[in-house]
Amino acid sequence: VLIFALSDVILAGTDCLVAGDSCSSDETCSPRLRTLRQCVAGDGSMKLGPSAKSQCANAVSALLSSPLRGCQCKRGMKKEKNCLSIYWSLHQSIIHGLNLVESYPYETVHRDYDYVRLASITADSEVGMTTVNRCLDAAKACNVDELCQKLRTEYVSTCIKPTSKSGLCNRPKCNKALRKFFDRVPVDYTHELLFCPCTDTACAERRRQTIVPSCSYENGEKPNCIIQMKNCHADYVCRSRLAQFKFDCEPSETSANGCKQENYGACLSAYTGLIGSTITPNYVDNSTSNVAPWCSCSSSGEARDECDHFLGLFTDNSCLRDSICLYPSLATKAKESNKNNRIGHI
């Protein structure tokens, strides 16, 4: 078995759409790419005959020296699914005995939280109040921002509007609108809406309803998590978002803050990237901060361990739990620091 560690072969990020066009127009690279696509297309490799395994191995080896090597995509980009299909053509987990250590295809985005805007919007509501409803303040702040208000209104109206035939919401359209909101609106607003702290059930229920769970999250009886996981793996966008979540929210007992990547913000952004996918996570109730996809591991049979592992990515993940629980205090400290800086300049 040949093993390629992606961290050893990734070059400076190249757009996979650009890399794919470059490879397709190259007389040496193009046939290798066609062969690889046959290798990963289910029964497509049967057309390659008895030498399929060696042909696939040669194609992968050659393409690791092509423009496709290390190509990446931007989350929420135009033609994101097309870009991801090119990425995963090369980076399949197992291809006829080739084991490519799975990473995720998105470019790393370094964002600094801009709590200055949020602090200025919510400052008035904090004056003279002993108890502050951060979830309500977050909603008010979103309504003040044009982009946040527009896209939030768009997904809410899409998710609560029933179809004429079934009387139910259109889940695909709802999820598409949700992804658009969380991909395009600054994290200053989305994180405040999703991770605001609550001390009573009314506040917690407002927080749980942020993503309209009756349409995007809940769906009658809980399906088996294995089915959800397989559906996610078959979808390029969901598969990529899940891979990023596993990477950025991987727990570690030896790291300073419980996250292997030591970055709460990256974990929260990866978590929000799953909202609007087939495994959309949400708060499981209005009395805790526990989150999980809408699925169960009961009746998993021989796949119970695999199912428990998948569900445990959310329910037994110290990195994710700490990222969510500590976010409010980190945001408050950032706002207080900004306030003190302003006072210092007066």
Side-chain angles (χ1 to χ4, degrees):
V1 177
L2 298 177
I3 299 180
F4 297 93
L6 294 187
S7 59
D8 295 335
V9 301
I10 289 180
L11 297 176
T14 303
D15 189 305
C16 288
L17 290 174
V18 175
D21 289 341
S22 177
C23 181
S24 296
S25 62
D26 183 271
E27 60 181 14
T28 301
C29 187
S30 182
R32 297 292 190 181
L33 182 57
R34 285 197 301 270
T35 298
L36 180 65
R37 283 174 171 163
Q38 284 184 292
C39 295
V40 301
D43 296 332
S45 60
M46 294 179 62
K47 299 178 181 179
L48 299 175
S51 62
K53 184 175 180 178
S54 61
Q55 289 187 59
C56 291
N58 290 335
V60 170
S61 297
L63 290 173
L64 287 175
S65 299
S66 77
L68 292 173
R69 173 184 165 184
C71 76
Q72 295 178 304
C73 306
K74 291 184 176 67
R75 201 171 98 177
M77 67 183 290
K78 188 177 182 180
K79 297 184 178 179
E80 179 181 0
K81 188 169 291 188
N82 292 344
C83 184
L84 294 173
S85 70
I86 295 172
Y87 176 92
W88 288 115
S89 291
L90 181 60
H91 299 84
Q92 293 281 18
S93 297
I94 300 176
I95 309 174
H96 290 276
L98 291 173
N99 188 4
L100 291 173
V101 180
E102 192 167 308
S103 182
Y104 68 90
Y106 294 115
E107 295 179 4
T108 300
V109 178
H110 298 285
R111 288 173 174 159
D112 292 325
Y113 291 105
D114 185 4
Y115 294 110
V116 177
R117 290 179 297 168
L118 204 58
S120 64
I121 293 170
T122 62
D124 292 339
S125 65
E126 297 178 3
V127 176
M129 295 182 62
T130 57
T131 302
V132 178
N133 188 330
R134 282 272 290 275
C135 293
L136 180 59
D137 286 346
K140 291 179 179 177
C142 180
N143 287 335
V144 171
D145 181 80
E146 183 178 356
L147 179 63
C148 188
Q149 191 273 340
K150 176 178 179 292
L151 295 186
R152 184 164 176 252
T153 300
E154 183 177 305
Y155 84 70
V156 170
S157 62
T158 301
C159 294
I160 65 175
K161 182 180 179 180
T163 58
S164 56
K165 294 182 179 180
S166 65
L168 303 174
C169 75
N170 188 320
R171 177 161 289 190
K173 285 188 176 181
C174 172
N175 284 336
K176 183 177 180 181
L178 276 168
R179 290 197 303 272
K180 184 178 179 181
F181 176 79
F182 286 102
D183 285 345
R184 297 187 183 182
V185 175
V187 295
D188 319 343
Y189 296 106
T190 59
H191 285 190
E192 279 287 315
L193 284 166
L194 274 178
F195 309 120
C196 49
C198 287
T199 56
D200 59 78
T201 56
C203 173
E205 183 61 15
R206 168 186 282 274
R207 182 177 61 184
R208 196 181 77 88
Q209 292 286 342
T210 294
I211 63 169
V212 198
S214 60
C215 180
S216 62
Y217 173 70
E218 300 171 355
N219 187 22
E221 186 177 349
K222 289 184 177 181
N224 189 279
C225 294
I226 292 293
I227 296 176
Q228 276 203 352
M229 184 176 65
K230 290 182 177 178
N231 289 339
C232 179
H233 195 75
D235 179 86
Y236 286 128
V237 175
C238 184
R239 177 181 181 177
S240 301
R241 304 294 177 94
L242 180 59
Q244 183 180 26
F245 171 75
K246 289 179 179 179
F247 181 83
D248 286 328
C249 292
E250 182 179 358
S252 171
E253 295 181 357
T254 59
S255 66
N257 65 359
C259 296
K260 186 173 182 179
Q261 307 307 321
E262 299 188 349
N263 191 328
Y264 288 145
C267 178
L268 294 180
S269 292
Y271 172 86
T272 59
L274 288 171
I275 297 175
S277 72
T278 58
I279 57 171
T280 294
N282 195 14
Y283 294 97
V284 298
D285 52 42
N286 58 16
S287 60
T288 68
S289 294
N290 299 331
V291 296
W294 183 257
C295 65
S296 168
C297 284
S298 61
S299 304
S300 295
E302 295 180 354
R304 183 59 187 254
D305 288 345
E306 182 183 7
C307 186
D308 286 340
H309 174 72
F310 169 75
L311 192 57
L313 295 173
F314 301 88
T315 61
D316 189 26
N317 186 328
S318 58
C319 175
L320 175 63
R321 182 176 60 250
D322 291 347
S323 296
I324 292 175
C325 291
L326 292 177
Y327 166 77
S329 61
L330 294 173
T332 299
K333 287 181 180 179
K335 289 163 67 176
E336 290 177 348
S337 175
N338 172 69
K339 181 180 179 180
N340 292 334
N341 289 336
R342 290 202 309 270
I343 293 176
H345 289 292
I346 295 176

